[in-house]
Amino acid sequence: MGSYSEAVRTAQSYYNSEDADNFYATIWGGEDIHIGLYKSDDEPIADASRRTVERIVGQLKTIGPDSRIIDLGGGYGGSARYMAKQYGAHVVSLNLSEVENERARALNREQGLDNLIEVVDGNFEDVPYEDDSFDIVFSQDAFLHSGNREQVLREIKRLLRPGGELIFTDPMQSDNAEGGQLQPVLDRLQLQSLGSPGFYREKLGALGFDEVGFTELTEYLITHYDRVRRELESRYDRVVGKQISQEYADNMIKGLNHWVRAGKAGDLCWGIMHFRLPPS
């Protein structure tokens, strides 16, 4: 699977842990484990997270049965299953957690979609596919875990065919972040930095991408992390000591509060970024 940066190894160890797997499978919904788009503050996390997938994929006007797509950081494969089920697309779900990938493969089989989805244990800094292999690169809330995001973007350029599309979300620092509330988030993730809209625009532009659009949705980042925190607190006595450890739960609540505070302070940004390579 190639080399792993320290940040990627840290993320791999975290997502492979029993605590993390049980938390994302139970509290977060176990299907689309990403930031949700909420109709109300108390909406089920799984419903809001699925709405995000629908919103992102809805921007891909060329998606269909002939599309070959790679989801970088596919988690439990919910996005891949949605694209395969709704559009008949062929999807590679590349993800660093072998534990999550086993759950994804089981869900694919249960839903009769394993013929359209390939789940790959892999690292988005060194993707095990040939040049010009995909029409669409898709990703949700994963690039922040890279210690070398420029390398991730170079890999995306290499993987895409001429005219191919990149669409992704990523928890980012805002372009004008003062950083006052950002450091606790970085410390919690063991990261030195987050990407920003300006960073992605600059680096992708230098690689020859044209920007299709950026839908800024930061308010949902704040809503989502607060919603997950409240869900964990409401189920604390039922899950702690049975599905997740008390240490993990307490640290998660603390970490989620850091995200909410940083978002309210204006230090974070989140939304849908969409880019396209020129046709040959």
Side-chain angles (χ1 to χ4, degrees):
M1 291 187 291
S3 60
Y4 282 63
S5 68
E6 182 178 353
V8 167
R9 288 196 302 272
T10 297
Q12 182 186 38
S13 177
Y14 169 76
Y15 286 109
N16 273 338
S17 70
E18 183 177 1
D19 273 336
D21 185 46
N22 286 336
F23 170 76
Y24 288 102
T26 56
I27 302 298
W28 209 299
E31 181 79 13
D32 305 305
I33 52 172
H34 311 290
I35 292 171
L37 298 175
Y38 291 80
K39 288 186 174 180
S40 71
D41 289 347
D42 293 321
E43 184 176 21
I45 295 166
D47 293 351
S49 297
R50 173 43 54 99
R51 188 174 296 114
T52 306
V53 178
E54 294 170 351
R55 176 80 174 269
I56 299 170
V57 176
Q59 294 189 19
L60 296 168
K61 305 306 181 186
T62 61
I63 188 172
D66 295 328
S67 301
R68 184 158 171 79
I69 303 167
I70 186 166
D71 181 358
L72 297 179
Y76 292 133
S79 301
R81 284 186 292 279
Y82 178 80
M83 290 185 279
K85 185 182 297 183
Q86 297 297 321
Y87 298 92
H90 291 76
V91 188
V92 170
S93 179
L94 181 131
N95 193 53
L96 53 76
S97 168
E98 295 89 351
V99 172
E100 288 183 345
N101 289 345
E102 282 304 305
R103 192 185 292 271
R105 293 184 184 104
L107 290 167
N108 293 344
R109 289 192 296 270
E110 289 172 11
Q111 298 183 32
L113 295 169
D114 48 334
N115 62 318
L116 290 174
I117 302 170
E118 179 184 9
V119 179
V120 176
D121 300 337
N123 167 19
F124 48 34
E125 295 175 356
D126 186 10
V127 181
Y129 283 88
E130 300 295 326
D131 296 1
D132 303 332
S133 291
F134 297 97
D135 303 296
I136 296 167
V137 172
F138 178 101
S139 184
Q140 283 185 264
D141 306 340
F143 296 159
L144 76 161
H145 292 301
S146 172
N148 189 349
R149 295 181 196 103
E150 290 188 49
Q151 173 60 20
V152 175
L153 301 182
R154 286 192 292 268
E155 280 290 270
I156 291 168
K157 168 70 179 296
R158 181 183 68 78
L159 293 166
L160 277 173
R161 295 167 181 152
E165 295 181 80
L166 163 64
I167 193 162
F168 69 97
T169 61
D170 195 41
M172 299 174 282
Q173 62 187 58
S174 60
D175 286 327
N176 58 352
E178 295 183 4
Q181 297 293 337
L182 196 58
Q183 195 58 48
V185 173
L186 297 175
D187 291 344
R188 167 82 175 151
L189 297 169
Q190 299 182 47
L191 293 172
Q192 298 299 313
S193 67
L194 295 173
S196 66
F199 167 84
Y200 286 118
R201 285 177 167 132
E202 176 189 353
K203 300 304 179 183
L204 288 166
L207 288 169
F209 283 85
D210 296 320
E211 182 174 349
V212 178
F214 172 43
T215 307
E216 197 267 329
L217 298 163
T218 303
E219 68 270 22
Y220 291 102
L221 178 150
I222 300 166
T223 301
H224 178 79
Y225 284 111
D226 183 63
R227 178 70 185 84
V228 174
R229 177 189 58 79
R230 289 186 290 111
E231 183 72 13
L232 177 54
E233 288 178 339
S234 71
R235 298 170 64 181
Y236 190 93
D237 292 338
R238 283 176 282 165
V239 300
V240 168
K242 303 175 182 67
Q243 293 167 302
I244 59 177
S245 68
Q246 182 175 356
E247 180 182 12
Y248 180 91
D250 292 347
N251 284 335
M252 178 58 69
I253 290 169
K254 185 184 300 183
L256 291 166
N257 280 325
H258 290 325
W259 281 103
V260 172
R261 283 194 289 268
K264 289 181 176 179
D267 288 335
L268 291 174
C269 181
W270 182 78
I272 304 167
M273 303 204 79
H274 190 184
F275 295 82
R276 182 181 293 119
L277 283 175
S280 56

